Amino acid sequence: MGDLSGKTALVTGSGRGIGRGIAQRLARDGALVAVHYNTDDAAAKETVASIEAAGGRAFAMGAELGVPGDAAALFAAFDSELAAYGAEPGLDILVNNAATRFSGRIAEATEEEFDRTIAVNVKAPFFLVQHGLRRMRDGGRIINISSAVTRTAYPSSIAYSVSKGGVDTLTLTLAKDLGDRGITVNTLAPGWVETHVTAARTATPEGRAALAACSVFNRIGQPADIADVAAFLASDDSRWITGQRIDVTGGSTL
């Protein structure tokens, strides 16, 4: 993978799960990583500690997403923490990973749950990109985390599916808009990954086996499976790839 030394990355929702895996991998490749959290500062500090223990550089920063002014508040915290860390201002890599998930079919959805899903999963990344671009250096990288649900029907997660469809469209449009700055914009679409989100499903041998069987490799995805592809997209090796939705489901949608 390309050397990310001298680069600054911001990974939203990186206190745990896929976000933590991406933050750890980008730091391992040399980037200074801003570890964003919503409310769980302890988890974010654990991510930072794991990065530092491995010889990397990171700092934690909190900001609630899905509320008015969230992007401005997040980047105010980013600027402040970056300065406190003693690093140069600016941004090279933005990973929009933070998301919320409402489980329910269309008859069960409420307006409040739908609005919250759209606010966190679509509106927040939209304006985080807007604010991030004011700081992003030419040749930067934007990586959006979508989901397999935009290509496979999951009626029990319809609001989440709609929101992730918006992320896919955001990626496509931004890629064309930002090409003249050398900024690439791509989406990663994971399937089942072993995180806190799937903990209830993997609590029994039968549940684990069912999720594993979705992949042609007969195993459940791990955060590192997604993080390694994110590291490639963050590197100079991916300079000729933009506007793409990359399936990282382990062949679950074949």
Side-chain angles (χ1 to χ4, degrees):
M1 296 298 175
D3 184 7
L4 299 182
S5 295
K7 305 290 187 182
T8 298
L10 166 59
V11 185
T12 65
S14 47
R16 54 186 178 171
I18 292 173
R20 174 180 284 186
I22 293 174
Q24 291 170 331
R25 178 57 203 266
L26 296 183
R28 195 174 88 197
D29 284 1
L32 168 61
V33 181
V35 175
H36 162 263
Y37 65 92
N38 185 14
T39 58
D40 194 346
D41 62 329
K45 289 175 182 176
E46 288 175 6
T47 301
V48 171
S50 69
I51 288 172
E52 292 177 340
R57 300 182 303 144
F59 59 86
M61 44 166 286
E64 183 180 1
L65 298 182
V67 296
D70 53 2
L74 183 148
F75 272 104
F78 172 80
D79 293 341
S80 176
E81 293 296 335
L82 194 63
Y85 195 87
E88 292 293 324
L91 179 66
D92 300 286
I93 302 159
L94 172 62
V95 182
N96 284 308
N97 167 75
T100 189
R101 184 173 191 139
F102 161 68
S103 294
R105 302 171 77 92
I106 192 165
E108 302 161 335
T110 67
E111 287 191 34
E112 291 78 13
E113 289 164 336
F114 183 85
D115 288 347
R116 174 67 178 168
T117 301
I118 297 300
V120 175
N121 296 3
V122 185
K123 184 179 177 181
F126 184 100
F127 286 101
L128 286 173
V129 169
Q130 183 190 75
H131 284 259
L133 286 172
R134 300 169 187 169
R135 297 158 173 83
M136 184 167 284
R137 288 175 270 266
D138 290 353
R141 300 285 186 264
I142 298 172
I143 303 169
N144 296 319
I145 307 302
S146 181
S147 171
V149 300
T150 65
R151 295 294 186 274
T152 304
Y154 283 92
S156 62
S157 297
I158 188 168
Y160 179 76
S161 301
V162 168
S163 72
K164 289 303 185 179
V167 171
D168 288 355
T169 301
L170 178 65
T171 293
L172 184 67
T173 307
L174 283 172
K176 188 165 187 177
D177 193 26
L178 302 178
D180 59 352
R181 290 186 55 190
I183 296 172
T184 67
V185 190
N186 292 290
T187 287
L188 292 180
W192 295 114
V193 180
E194 191 161 12
T195 68
H196 59 286
V197 177
T198 56
R201 290 176 175 264
T202 58
T204 65
E206 296 78 12
R208 291 188 64 84
L211 292 193
C214 293
S215 166
V216 299
F217 302 119
N218 196 35
R219 71 172 176 85
I220 304 171
Q222 299 298 312
D225 295 322
I226 316 305
D228 289 348
V229 185
F232 165 70
L233 292 178
S235 75
D236 187 59
D237 293 343
S238 69
R239 61 192 174 277
W240 206 235
I241 301 172
T242 196
Q244 301 305 301
R245 176 190 181 276
I246 300 176
D247 184 296
V248 282
T249 66
S252 296
T253 58
L254 297 179

